Amino acid sequence: MNIWINKSIDLANKHGYLDKLFSVYPTELGDNRGLSEGIKKHIEKAFKNKNEVGLIKELLKLPKFPINDPYISSLRKYPFLLDKNPRTIKRIGKRLISMDVDVVLELSIQPKSPSRQLGHSFRNWLTSAGYPFLGENDFKKYKGVAFLSGGDTKLKNFANKELKVKNLKKGLDFILKVKDKFILGEAKFLTDYGGTQNNQFNDAIRISKIKNNKVIGIAILDGIVWFDSGNYMSRKVRKINNIALSSLLLKDYIKSLSKKKILE
């Protein structure tokens, strides 16, 4: 087990871990989304007339559909499907009509789920680390500590083309340069067990396995992964020898890089 995993487990189980983590992942709920009076009236009319197609069309105009259904995304992107799939429309419409109209309206204006803001929260916090974010040309020439500026795709392309990282299909949360070495990082705030959360965990662990003569990957993990639950994530992170650590230790890790051999 890497020393940074031990440090993270110790930190997470001490007093105030979640309190401190809020500085990295502030997840306050925002205000309710707006709903125009015109759309509201159309929705209420469709409800009254049990017009399932009309109701779904009006609700698709809103940023948030009031119920979860795997077919909504297709209907939103390709409206012509509304007229070509009557059984799907009947199924969704029947479920909506069975609800109270006020409940549907309330669900339609709820703010974004805090979990969808976590990636942006980490990147926003990263800018407070005290190191510059540089464009590609300046980044390659820089001799100190700096982050590469840019989004997921730009960072992925730089890793693949400039750093010769093989088969990197997804984006990265950051690329850090310390002298002539590059650190590739993926950050995940894990809030539950199983399914999507396991996939998120595995994505970060895959990044931590990247290593060549000038590149090392690290996984920035927070949340339930550090608590000894016997769950898949908890067990696996304790068995790996790659670098995984809490975001709260990232600044300490960066400082440590200049004090010892970079790839240790």
Side-chain angles (χ1 to χ4, degrees), residues 35-59 61-62 97 101 105:
L35 178 64
S36 75
E37 197 62 32
I39 292 180
K40 181 180 178 182
K41 287 182 178 179
H42 288 310
I43 291 172
E44 290 172 338
K45 182 178 178 180
F47 253 94
K48 183 178 180 180
N49 297 330
K50 299 188 184 303
N51 181 355
E52 294 162 348
V53 175
L55 175 60
I56 293 171
K57 283 183 177 179
E58 291 300 324
L59 292 172
K61 295 176 182 178
L62 304 177
I97 295 293
V101 63
L105 291 171

Side-chain angles (χ1 to χ4, degrees), residues 169-193:
K169 298 178 181 179
K170 294 187 177 182
L172 297 161
D173 282 313
F174 65 84
I175 296 181
L176 167 71
K177 184 179 183 184
V178 181
K179 299 180 180 178
D180 61 343
K181 302 295 182 180
F182 298 88
I183 315 301
L184 312 185
E186 179 76 358
K188 302 294 181 185
F189 184 6
L190 302 162
T191 60
D192 203 351
Y193 300 116

Side-chain angles (χ1 to χ4, degrees), residues 16-103:
Y17 167 63
L18 296 181
D19 294 343
K20 294 173 183 175
L21 196 60
F22 193 77
S23 66
V24 183
Y25 296 105
T27 55
E28 298 280 4
L29 284 175
D31 296 329
N32 283 348
R33 309 173 201 233
L35 178 64
S36 75
E37 197 62 32
I39 292 180
K40 181 180 178 182
K41 287 182 178 179
H42 288 310
I43 291 172
E44 290 172 338
K45 182 178 178 180
F47 253 94
K48 183 178 180 180
N49 297 330
K50 299 188 184 303
N51 181 355
E52 294 162 348
V53 175
L55 175 60
I56 293 171
K57 283 183 177 179
E58 291 300 324
L59 292 172
L60 287 173
K61 295 176 182 178
L62 304 177
K64 184 181 186 300
F65 202 80
I67 61 174
N68 293 323
D69 189 288
Y71 293 85
I72 295 302
S73 179
S74 296
L75 294 173
R76 190 187 292 278
K77 292 178 181 178
Y78 306 104
F80 71 88
L81 295 172
L82 284 161
D83 299 321
K84 291 180 177 293
N85 298 275
R87 284 186 294 177
T88 296
I89 300 306
K90 185 70 176 176
R91 177 179 59 77
I92 296 172
K94 185 177 180 181
R95 183 178 172 194
L96 290 166
I97 295 293
S98 71
M99 301 166 66
D100 187 90
V101 63
D102 291 332
V103 173

Side-chain angles (χ1 to χ4, degrees), residues 6-21 226-227 248-249:
N6 273 322
K7 286 177 177 284
S8 298
I9 292 170
D10 185 55
L11 173 67
N13 286 276
K14 284 184 176 177
H15 184 78
Y17 167 63
L18 296 181
D19 294 343
K20 294 173 183 175
L21 196 60
W226 299 123
F227 306 125
L248 298 175
L249 293 172

Side-chain angles (χ1 to χ4, degrees), residues 22-257:
F22 193 77
S23 66
V24 183
Y25 296 105
T27 55
E28 298 280 4
L29 284 175
D31 296 329
N32 283 348
R33 309 173 201 233
L35 178 64
S36 75
E37 197 62 32
I39 292 180
K40 181 180 178 182
K41 287 182 178 179
H42 288 310
I43 291 172
E44 290 172 338
K45 182 178 178 180
F47 253 94
K48 183 178 180 180
N49 297 330
K50 299 188 184 303
N51 181 355
E52 294 162 348
V53 175
L55 175 60
I56 293 171
K57 283 183 177 179
E58 291 300 324
L59 292 172
L60 287 173
K61 295 176 182 178
L62 304 177
K64 184 181 186 300
F65 202 80
I67 61 174
N68 293 323
D69 189 288
Y71 293 85
I72 295 302
S73 179
S74 296
L75 294 173
R76 190 187 292 278
K77 292 178 181 178
Y78 306 104
F80 71 88
L81 295 172
L82 284 161
D83 299 321
K84 291 180 177 293
N85 298 275
R87 284 186 294 177
T88 296
I89 300 306
K90 185 70 176 176
R91 177 179 59 77
I92 296 172
K94 185 177 180 181
R95 183 178 172 194
L96 290 166
I97 295 293
S98 71
M99 301 166 66
D100 187 90
V101 63
D102 291 332
V103 173
V104 170
L105 291 171
E106 180 65 28
L107 291 173
S108 299
I109 63 173
Q110 286 183 344
K112 290 182 180 180
S113 168
S115 62
R116 295 191 175 187
Q117 306 170 32
L118 296 178
H120 294 298
S121 296
F122 174 81
R123 290 172 189 169
N124 290 338
W125 170 81
L126 202 58
T127 61
S128 70
Y131 301 105
F133 280 72
L134 304 175
E136 189 171 318
N137 290 334
D138 291 335
F139 182 71
K140 288 190 288 188
K141 299 174 186 175
Y142 200 68
K143 298 299 182 183
V145 177
F147 289 95
L148 177 61
S149 178
D152 290 11
T153 301
K154 183 176 180 180
L155 300 186
K156 179 184 70 174
N157 291 341
F158 184 88
N160 285 332
K161 295 175 182 178
E162 299 292 335
L163 303 180
K164 309 302 180 186
V165 175
K166 297 180 180 179
N167 300 320
L168 184 62
K169 298 178 181 179
K170 294 187 177 182
L172 297 161
D173 282 313
F174 65 84
I175 296 181
L176 167 71
K177 184 179 183 184
V178 181
K179 299 180 180 178
D180 61 343
K181 302 295 182 180
F182 298 88
I183 315 301
L184 312 185
E186 179 76 358
K188 302 294 181 185
F189 184 6
L190 302 162
T191 60
D192 203 351
Y193 300 116
T196 301
Q197 294 285 287
N198 283 353
N199 293 337
Q200 296 283 311
F201 170 79
N202 287 330
D203 285 344
I205 295 302
R206 275 192 288 270
I207 295 300
S208 76
K209 294 178 180 179
I210 296 172
K211 188 174 182 180
N212 63 36
N213 63 343
K214 63 177 181 179
V215 176
I216 185 169
I218 65 174
I220 308 297
L221 303 173
D222 279 296
I224 60 175
V225 64
W226 299 123
F227 306 125
D228 190 5
S229 65
N231 185 268
Y232 166 75
M233 290 187 289
S234 176
R235 295 195 315 270
K236 185 167 182 178
V237 79
R238 285 160 172 76
K239 293 178 181 179
I240 66 172
N241 292 316
N242 310 314
I243 296 178
L245 65 154
S246 166
S247 60
L248 298 175
L249 293 172
L250 181 58
K251 293 179 183 179
D252 290 340
Y253 174 70
I254 293 173
K255 291 177 183 177
S256 76
L257 297 179

